[in-house]
Amino acid sequence: PGVTTETSLSITSEPAAEFGQWAYDFSDPDGPQLGTVAVPGMSSVYETDDPVVLIGEHTHLGVQLPDEIKDPVDLIVLVDRARKYFAERKFLVMELEENPGMISIGAFSSFEEFPSTAKIMGHVTLVQIPWLPSMQKKKSGFMEEDQLF
């Protein structure tokens, strides 16, 4: 695909992330925190007009994981910055008046619940949870089901 062997061999890679976690590579730690993230090809990703990815801990986002998981888990949150309107039961990325310059994520059942002073920065279109060992299916004792392992 137009890449030479020399170029291919000159690229360095980072060590793998801890099992069940994401790996980040920020080329300039003192500059803007920008990186590259791979997400699955699906319609919700394709239909995102102005995508940006945020990294957030599951505890701050209100995502429930199995009880065995005690430490915070980083999640990839895909946001469409082009969608700056209210929608019921959709996760919205907002800037709240009481916390200017910082974003918050929340969902609301109706417009009446939405904070009147909040500025909508976008909609969450995908949350990617890493596979964790505690998510592994347990053996059932039935041969037909256990053959999946």
Side-chain angles (χ1 to χ4, degrees):
V3 179
T4 66
T5 304
E6 181 181 329
T7 302
S8 177
L9 295 174
S10 68
I11 300 170
T12 60
S13 62
E14 298 295 319
E18 181 181 332
F19 191 66
Q21 296 296 317
W22 306 109
Y24 309 105
D25 176 27
F26 299 109
S27 55
D28 181 8
D30 296 326
Q33 296 299 296
L34 305 172
T36 302
V37 177
V39 292
M42 52 185 18
S43 61
S44 62
V45 173
Y46 177 76
E47 293 167 0
T48 302
D49 293 325
D50 186 12
V52 64
V53 169
L54 305 173
I55 307 297
E57 294 180 351
H58 80 283
T59 53
H60 293 142
L61 297 172
V63 174
Q64 293 183 351
L65 295 178
D67 293 334
E68 304 88 58
I69 299 172
K70 303 297 181 204
D71 295 326
V73 174
D74 287 342
L75 307 179
I76 292 177
V77 181
L78 179 65
V79 176
D80 188 352
R81 295 182 296 185
R83 297 180 191 175
K84 296 182 185 239
Y85 53 86
F86 178 81
E88 295 176 350
R89 297 184 306 271
K90 299 286 183 187
F91 282 94
L92 307 174
V93 178
M94 311 164 285
E95 180 181 26
L96 301 174
E97 185 178 77
E98 58 269 16
N99 201 3
M102 301 297 292
I103 61 168
S104 300
I105 297 177
F108 306 92
S109 297
S110 66
F111 188 70
E112 289 76 32
E113 293 179 12
F114 182 72
S116 61
T117 58
K119 179 181 176 185
I120 299 174
M121 308 298 289
H123 285 208
V124 173
T125 57
L126 174 76
V127 176
Q128 185 73 43
I129 302 170
W131 185 88
L132 301 166
S134 62
M135 296 175 175
Q136 183 171 352
K137 184 177 176 184
K138 308 293 187 254
K139 291 193 175 192
S140 67
F142 292 98
M143 185 176 73
E144 295 83 5
E145 287 184 16
D146 292 341
Q147 288 178 348
L148 298 175
F149 292 100

